[in-house]
Amino acid sequence: MSSTLAKGLKLLETLCVSREPIGITELAKAADLNLSAVQRLLGTLVQQGYAEQNHSSRKYSATLATWEIGSLVLRDHLYLRAVHPVLRQAAQNTGFTAHFILNAVPFVTYFDKVEGPLGLTYSSVPGTSVPMTLTAAGLAIISFMPQDQIDLLRRPAERSGAKFEGFDPAALAPRITDVRERRYATSESGFRKGVNSVAAPIWGSDGLVCGALALTADENELRPDVFTTIGQRVIRWAEEATIILGGSPYPRTFYE
C-alpha cells in the first residue's frame, strides 16, 4: 500500500468528518499525521479541488467534490435500485421512516432511507456509521452473522470518525437467541434518546447477511405495544429485499 496515498485518504476522511472548517494543527492531531505531511497533502487536495481554505479563518474544509464522486458510485448501485422501492412501500404503509442499513462489522452504515409522515427528519442520514451494538439494525445483523464476523466485535475499530471500543459478543447471547426466535430486533431509545426502532436482517446473494431493514420513529409513535405487529411487517419487507438481492432469508444453519 502506498504510504502517501493512505495518508492522503486519511486526511480527506478527517476533513469530511469534521462538522466545521478545521485548522492544520487540529487536522494533524485528528489524522495522526505530522504538520509537514498535512501541509503537503492539503496543498494537493486543494489543487485537485477536494479541499478549500477559508480566507478569513485560514482553516480547511472538504468540498462537494467527494459528494459528487459518491453520487456517481450510488447512481447504478444494486442495493439502491433493488431495495429503495421496498423502503418506499414500508414508509408509505406505516408512516415511519424506513432505512436500509449495511453490515460494516463492527459498524452499521446507513445506506438509504425514505421518510414517512410519522418519521423523524433528524434521523440518521445516509453515510453515517455507528457501532452496530447500539442499534436494532445492528442486533438484527449480529444475530445472523457467521462466527468469523462475530469475532470482529472483540476488536477496537474506527470508521468515518466513529469509534468502536471492542465488545464481548457473549454478552449479547440472550438477545441473539430472542432475535433468532422472533426474526426481528427492537430498540427503545437506542442510538438516539426518544427514538424507537424495529429491524429485520437482509441477506445478499453470497449467503451472508448484508444489512437490515429498519423502521424508526418517535417513541410516542412507534410504541413497544406495537412492536410485534410492526415486527411481522418488517420481516416481510426484509424478506422481499433479500429475494430481490438473490439471497435466501433465515438460513436453516441458524436453527439447527
Side-chain angles (χ1 to χ4, degrees), residues 14-28:
T14 304
L15 285 169
C16 291
V17 168
S18 179
R19 291 181 173 271
E20 56 187 21
I22 184 171
I24 290 180
T25 302
E26 296 171 284
L27 266 174

Side-chain angles (χ1 to χ4, degrees), residues 102-134:
L102 298 181
N103 178 7
V105 59
F107 300 94
V108 289
T109 299
Y110 289 79
F111 182 77
D112 191 16
K113 75 172 182 177
V114 176
E115 293 178 357
L118 301 178
L120 300 167
T121 57
Y122 56 85
S123 60
S124 296
V125 298
T128 302
S129 293
V130 300
M132 66 190 333
T133 52
L134 299 181

